[in-house]
Amino acid sequence: MDETRQRDREGTRRRILDAARRLFADLGYDQVTMRLIAAEADANIALINRYFGSKRELFAEVLAMQGRFPGVLDCPEEELPRRLAEYIAERLRSDQASPVMAALIRSSNCPEIHDLIRDRVSSAILEPLSARLSGPDAAFRARIATALITGNGTMRQLYGPESSDVPDREAVIARLTAIFEACLSR
Amino acid sequence: MDETRQRDREGTRRRILDAARRLFADLGYDQVTMRLIAAEADANIALINRYFGSKRELFAEVLAMQGRFPGVLDCPEEELPRRLAEYIAERLRSDQASPVMAALIRSSNCPEIHDLIRDRVSSAILEPLSARLSGPDAAFRARIATALITGNGTMRQLYGPESSDVPDREAVIARLTAIFEACLSR
DNA sequence: TAAGTTAGTAGACGCTTGTTTACTCGTCAA
DNA sequence: TTGACGAGTAAACAAGCGTCTACTAACTTA
């Protein structure tokens, strides 16, 4: 309480940003309070707005911090279904979901950041995926595939990883590949 | 203000329940305040808890009010993909989403009612769908199909209906049918 | 060493939330 | 007509929220 603390602007800023990233991913935007972030970062609550302006701007910076949808989309069109299937299969089993994705899904109903979420989904998944698709109705096909990805996140949020007894990894990937092919094929 | 009001217990109760159903579907659990429900129902806020106990119990009653996942699942196994595809296609275009589904998706991150949401998704979609599937890994296949359904709701919430130029209804249904077949086939 | 800058702190601000209390008064049985 | 019941009302409750202000004290610079 009455301990003195090292003065470390950059360090404190980074601790806050890290804590926010973790908490937003775990709990979603509106379940995370400024006081919770401050406690997790072991920093004073007033410093959050001093360094980031507001909770909303902090969330925006957390989103900006992350790269785009993990390299998954960087491949020729014909490999997309398999790559997406492997990604989902990983997320099905793994203990932690993708931090950005989790933050997006858990926060998608908060009107204050609705535009941030939408823009992020667009720029990180929807648009790059759509741009990689040849043939007609690329936007629509990309939207369905994206729905599958976000829906998987929602189910994971509801039931946790691997709620039902999941078949072996190869079978999962094979099925998911077939599904994404049905989504994305021209 | 100083007008006297008719005393109508059942009527008031129903107005509150209707208002709650509309608002929960439109905004999700935690964006709906007791005062908003009271205003929409043109009733006093204290009456909500008098008749329903608490906000949470009111939400539970709204969920219980609705039938299960609209008759979509009442068909032989081989017709399931087509039926689900038609359902999604309808929800893609229509101005209003399914009230229950909307409430579920918009509220899925509120911890206070997490168990209500999960149980409802289980009993209304996941379990009946899984029970109708023959062959191995029925639960897993049902989970993927459910992910597609809820994910479609999330995308709809983010982008509204028909954000991208959607192809004609027949093409949409054909593609969605193929996708659900890939999800559900043994 | 003295002055200025600024990271860090404590606490309050105004507001909203779900919930509850104390009360008014219409309705109906005795 | 009177008394009890209960639907409806207004106002307050405690708790929590994001934000902001006034302040302390550590570091830098002259």
Side-chain angles (χ1 to χ4, degrees):
Chain A
M1 298 304 175
D2 49 357
E3 286 213 9
T4 60
R5 187 192 289 275
Q6 285 229 14
R7 289 167 52 122
D8 179 8
R9 180 185 173 95
E10 282 314 307
T12 302
R13 208 189 117 96
R14 186 165 28 78
R15 288 205 319 279
I16 293 173
L17 201 55
D18 284 350
R21 181 175 51 81
R22 272 195 308 275
L23 290 169
F24 283 141
D26 287 346
L27 304 173
Y29 184 78
D30 49 11
Q31 299 298 323
V32 172
T33 68
M34 301 290 275
R35 287 163 180 82
L36 190 57
I37 298 174
E40 181 83 1
D42 190 30
N44 189 280
I45 183 175
L47 294 179
I48 302 179
N49 278 357
R50 178 197 275 276
Y51 292 147
F52 298 96
S54 69
K55 184 184 180 185
R56 190 189 130 96
E57 289 172 273
L58 172 60
F59 185 78
E61 187 137 341
V62 165
L63 287 191
M65 202 171 57
Q66 321 274 342
R68 64 173 43 191
F69 196 46
V72 179
L73 300 179
D74 297 333
C75 67
E77 183 177 359
E78 60 269 21
E79 288 181 22
L80 273 176
R82 171 97 191 172
R83 294 285 288 269
L84 288 170
E86 285 169 351
Y87 176 79
I88 297 291
E90 204 55 43
R91 295 306 168 198
L92 262 176
R93 284 215 150 84
S94 161
D95 266 349
Q96 76 252 8
S98 154
V100 195
M101 185 60 61
L104 292 178
I105 288 170
R106 291 187 207 275
S107 311
S108 64
N109 193 46
C110 186
E112 191 178 349
I113 51 167
H114 182 271
D115 54 339
L116 294 177
I117 304 278
R118 197 190 50 230
D119 293 351
R120 177 70 186 180
V121 172
S122 290
S123 67
I125 311 181
L126 210 48
E127 286 167 5
L129 182 56
S130 174
R132 225 162 277 265
L133 297 181
S134 61
D137 305 321
F140 172 67
R141 287 144 62 199
R143 174 166 167 156
I144 301 183
T146 306
L148 188 52
I149 296 169
T150 63
N152 181 66
T154 301
M155 292 299 285
R156 193 208 147 82
Q157 181 183 152
L158 276 182
Y159 294 97
E162 199 168 346
S163 82
S164 51
D165 35 356
V166 178
D168 65 285
R169 179 184 154 86
E170 276 315 305
V172 169
I173 292 185
R175 181 173 293 275
L176 288 172
T177 302
I179 296 171
F180 277 114
E181 273 166 359
C183 289
L184 299 178
S185 69
R186 46 190 308 183
Chain B
M1 302 304 175
D2 49 357
E3 287 211 7
T4 62
R5 186 190 291 273
Q6 286 231 13
R7 290 166 53 122
D8 179 7
R9 182 185 172 94
E10 283 314 308
T12 301
R13 209 190 116 96
R14 188 167 24 78
R15 290 205 317 278
I16 293 173
L17 201 55
D18 284 350
R21 182 175 50 80
R22 272 196 306 277
L23 290 170
F24 283 141
D26 287 346
L27 303 173
Y29 184 78
D30 50 9
Q31 298 299 322
V32 172
T33 68
M34 302 289 274
R35 287 163 181 81
L36 190 57
I37 298 173
E40 181 82 2
D42 191 30
N44 188 281
I45 184 175
L47 294 179
I48 302 178
N49 278 358
R50 178 197 275 276
Y51 292 147
F52 297 94
S54 68
K55 184 185 180 185
R56 191 190 127 97
E57 290 172 274
L58 171 60
F59 185 78
E61 187 139 342
V62 165
L63 286 190
M65 203 171 57
Q66 320 276 338
R68 65 174 43 191
F69 196 45
V72 180
L73 300 179
D74 297 332
C75 66
E77 183 178 357
E78 60 270 20
E79 287 181 23
L80 273 176
R82 170 98 190 173
R83 295 284 290 267
L84 288 170
E86 285 168 351
Y87 176 80
I88 297 290
E90 204 54 45
R91 295 306 170 197
L92 261 175
R93 284 219 151 80
S94 161
D95 266 349
Q96 78 253 7
S98 154
V100 195
M101 185 61 60
L104 293 178
I105 288 169
R106 289 186 211 274
S107 310
S108 63
N109 193 47
C110 186
E112 192 177 350
I113 53 167
H114 183 271
D115 55 338
L116 293 177
I117 303 278
R118 198 190 48 231
D119 293 352
R120 177 69 186 181
V121 172
S122 288
S123 68
I125 311 181
L126 211 47
E127 286 168 4
L129 182 55
S130 174
R132 223 162 277 266
L133 297 180
S134 61
D137 305 319
F140 172 67
R141 286 143 63 201
R143 175 169 166 152
I144 301 183
T146 307
L148 189 53
I149 297 169
T150 62
N152 181 66
T154 301
M155 292 299 285
R156 193 209 147 81
Q157 181 184 150
L158 277 181
Y159 294 97
E162 198 167 347
S163 80
S164 51
D165 35 356
V166 178
D168 66 287
R169 180 183 153 86
E170 277 314 307
V172 169
I173 292 185
R175 180 172 292 274
L176 288 172
T177 303
I179 296 172
F180 276 113
E181 273 166 0
C183 288
L184 300 177
S185 70
R186 45 188 310 182

